[in-house]
Amino acid sequence: MRLPPAIIGHTEAVLREVLRFTGPADGTLSRYFRENPRLGGRERGVIAEAIYGLLRNKSVYTSFSESGTGSAMRRITLLGLADAVGIDSLGGLSEEEDVWLRRVMEIDRSHLPLALKSNMPEWLWQKLSTKFGDEEAMKLASALNTPASLDLRVNALKSNREDVIASLAQAPILAEATPFSALGLRIIKKPSIQNLPLFKDGTIEVQDEGSQVLAQLLGAKRGEMVADFCAGAGGKTLALGASMRNTGRLYAFDISEKRLAKLKPRLARSGLSNVHPVVIAHERDAKIKRLAGKLDRVLVDAPCSGLGTLRRNPDVKWRQTQVGVAELNVKQASILDSAARLVKGGGRLVYATCSILDEENEGIVEQFLTTHPDFTLLPVSQVLEEQKIELEMGDYLKLYPHIHNTDGFFAAVFQRNKVVAKIAVKDSSEADEVAE
């Protein structure tokens, strides 16, 4: 069945907006669909698939679009639509466009130069190639350019994995247990789950398996005082609250009231009552200072480039820059420093990102250890064993889509020395008094 010719025009119009990179692609798509309510569900699905395919394959499509006639934007649009639904499904093609499109789609992309085939910005491909070598970097790039699976986390306060798998099968939705997270499920296809009773009552939450593992590294326990320092919409917060069995006190800090607002309905569904969302002005807010040296565990899922999430957010690689990453590094170091002040002697601090760049990961950790002698790096291999997670790692957690089938994640685990911590908290309190 052919799509109406207007689909090409709509896709091209959205693409023009998306390629300005003034904001996330999903937001641009949502706004366009609201402004064009006559577009049906099928048409919206095709447009979205084409746009995301274009973002994943932008380098190759741009190169291919240098041939043919008409505007380059239309040619790129046609390539994206042809990859998404096939040439025969497109209505409104001229005879010349049809011939050109079929010829271009027959090109064997495996013979393209690596830098082009990677569909990464030049600066990013160079970093990946230098770090991993061409062959491994290409495997990583290919995985990052492949749509992610749909991962769920089972709310342990409400059910268990086996029962949820059985309930989903009745929908019918096929799910399998994830290999690393004890509460994770991977959905074989991508159905809409928002209307499922299991979702509405908070039994399941959408969360990448890698993100679930990060929360487990913190090892939050019953009755403890814990903070999710950069909580965002609260995916890890919910996981932490459940692991604490809804006891103790869990702070969800974030500078964005809008992001924390998205946590509230999720909290209501989850059944958690130990979570306390707190909007802060910045990482050195007075609300944080009052908790210095009082928390058992602190998770810092730091603001980062997001380059580990390209399977879900392919536009990020085109919106991010080296200058932007350097600016983030300053912020990351400052946030980690402030979060560290909350940790009590003997307490645990986890620094994490959804980045694959050394300067956001090992670089920040090494800098932190140099300036914070009261913290010791705990080998992640030891922590994983403690949490009964079967993952081969060294000092750090490093998850990659082509190896672990998760988003790209990094994490380092620290423990605060008890004796030095007491001195540091005292000094910090005195410094605050002087400042006041």
Side-chain angles (χ1 to χ4, degrees):
M1 181 179 174
R2 286 206 164 198
L3 291 163
I7 290 297
I8 297 175
H10 280 296
T11 307
E12 183 177 348
V14 177
L15 183 62
R16 286 183 186 278
E17 288 190 48
V18 167
L19 292 184
R20 292 190 181 103
F21 298 122
T22 54
D26 58 352
T28 302
L29 274 167
S30 296
R31 186 176 70 251
Y32 188 86
F33 291 152
R34 285 197 303 272
E35 293 169 354
N36 294 272
R38 292 187 178 182
L39 285 169
R42 183 183 179 225
E43 286 84 358
R44 292 178 182 216
V46 168
I47 292 169
E49 187 178 351
I51 293 297
Y52 278 96
L54 284 159
L55 290 168
R56 290 187 176 98
N57 300 285
K58 180 172 168 287
S59 296
V60 168
Y61 287 160
T62 301
S63 177
F64 286 176
S65 70
E66 291 174 1
S67 63
T69 58
S71 74
M73 191 66 69
R74 180 175 172 87
R75 294 196 298 271
I76 293 174
T77 301
L78 294 179
L79 287 166
L81 285 166
D83 253 1
V85 297
I87 299 171
D88 294 332
S89 295
L90 298 180
L93 293 177
S94 68
E95 183 178 347
E96 189 175 20
E97 285 175 331
D98 188 277
V99 171
W100 169 78
L101 200 51
R102 292 182 188 278
R103 186 177 71 249
V104 170
M105 295 302 286
E106 288 175 355
I107 294 174
D108 185 352
R109 301 183 191 184
S110 66
H111 297 303
L112 296 173
L114 286 180
L116 178 61
K117 191 165 64 173
S118 75
N119 279 292
M120 295 288 169
E122 185 179 352
W123 70 270
L124 180 55
W125 169 251
Q126 289 301 324
K127 283 182 178 293
L128 297 182
S129 178
T130 300
K131 179 177 179 178
F132 296 102
D134 284 350
E135 185 178 349
E136 190 73 8
M138 196 66 237
K139 289 178 182 177
L140 173 57
S142 296
L144 286 169
N145 288 327
T146 302
S149 59
L150 175 61
D151 288 359
L152 307 176
R153 179 184 56 80
V154 176
N155 182 350
L157 298 180
K158 298 201 170 189
S159 189
N160 60 69
R161 190 155 63 173
E162 291 70 28
D163 288 348
V164 171
I165 289 175
S167 297
L168 287 172
Q170 295 174 10
I173 294 173
L174 188 60
E176 61 185 22
T178 52
F180 311 125
S181 170
L183 295 170
L185 292 175
R186 185 153 291 140
I187 306 302
I188 309 309
K189 293 184 179 179
K190 276 193 171 183
S192 176
I193 67 163
Q194 279 77 10
N195 294 321
L196 290 177
L198 287 172
F199 182 81
K200 288 182 175 180
D201 70 10
T203 301
I204 56 174
E205 275 285 346
V206 176
Q207 187 177 21
D208 182 81
E209 185 186 18
S211 177
Q212 296 179 44
V213 171
L214 286 188
Q216 285 180 262
L217 289 181
L218 196 64
K221 298 175 182 176
R222 289 175 180 267
E224 292 185 329
M225 288 185 68
V226 179
D228 186 353
F229 202 77
C230 306
K236 297 179 190 67
T237 305
L238 297 174
L240 293 172
S243 68
M244 296 166 68
R245 306 303 298 178
N246 204 17
T247 64
R249 194 171 183 88
L250 173 55
Y251 294 97
F253 293 119
D254 205 275
I255 60 171
S256 170
E257 188 172 358
K258 186 177 180 181
R259 282 196 294 265
L260 282 180
K262 293 179 180 178
L263 169 60
K264 290 182 180 178
R266 300 175 77 184
L267 266 180
R269 291 198 305 266
S270 73
L272 291 171
S273 57
N274 65 336
V275 178
H276 302 271
V278 181
V279 179
I280 55 175
H282 44 73
E283 64 268 23
R284 299 191 183 278
D285 193 299
K287 297 171 188 172
I288 294 169
K289 286 185 178 182
R290 285 195 286 269
L291 293 170
K294 296 179 180 178
L295 272 58
D296 297 283
R297 299 171 197 267
V298 177
L299 172 63
V300 179
D301 183 15
C304 68
S305 65
L307 292 169
T309 68
L310 296 183
R311 301 187 306 165
R312 305 171 198 281
N313 308 299
D315 55 312
V316 167
K317 62 185 173 184
W318 307 115
R319 291 194 289 118
Q320 193 55 262
T321 65
Q322 292 189 81
V323 172
V325 172
E327 291 171 352
L328 281 166
N329 293 159
V330 176
K331 195 71 173 173
Q332 287 156 354
S334 178
I335 288 173
L336 183 56
D337 174 70
S338 292
R341 300 182 183 195
L342 300 181
V343 184
K344 65 165 57 172
R348 178 173 294 184
L349 172 67
V350 172
Y351 172 77
T353 74
C354 51
S355 174
I356 51 177
L357 299 181
D358 289 347
E359 53 264 51
E360 297 186 86
N361 299 331
E362 292 95 329
I364 299 298
V365 171
E366 289 164 8
Q367 179 183 337
F368 175 79
L369 288 171
T370 300
T371 54
H372 295 76
D374 51 330
F375 280 86
T376 302
L377 184 71
L378 295 179
V380 160
S381 56
Q382 173 187 322
V383 180
L384 290 169
E385 185 177 353
E386 161 199 305
Q387 294 295 319
K388 297 181 174 60
I389 301 173
E390 295 184 5
L391 262 171
E392 292 292 328
M393 292 286 159
D395 285 344
Y396 305 123
L397 180 78
K398 297 180 183 181
L399 297 175
Y400 299 108
H402 67 301
I403 298 174
H404 306 102
N405 201 19
T406 67
D407 285 345
F409 281 106
F410 170 90
V413 183
F414 311 94
Q415 182 170 305
R416 193 168 198 183
N417 178 288
K418 291 184 178 180
V419 177
V420 181
K422 290 178 181 177
I423 299 171
V425 170
K426 183 175 181 292
D427 289 346
S428 175
S429 300
E430 290 175 353
D432 290 343
E433 288 172 9
V434 171
E436 290 169 1

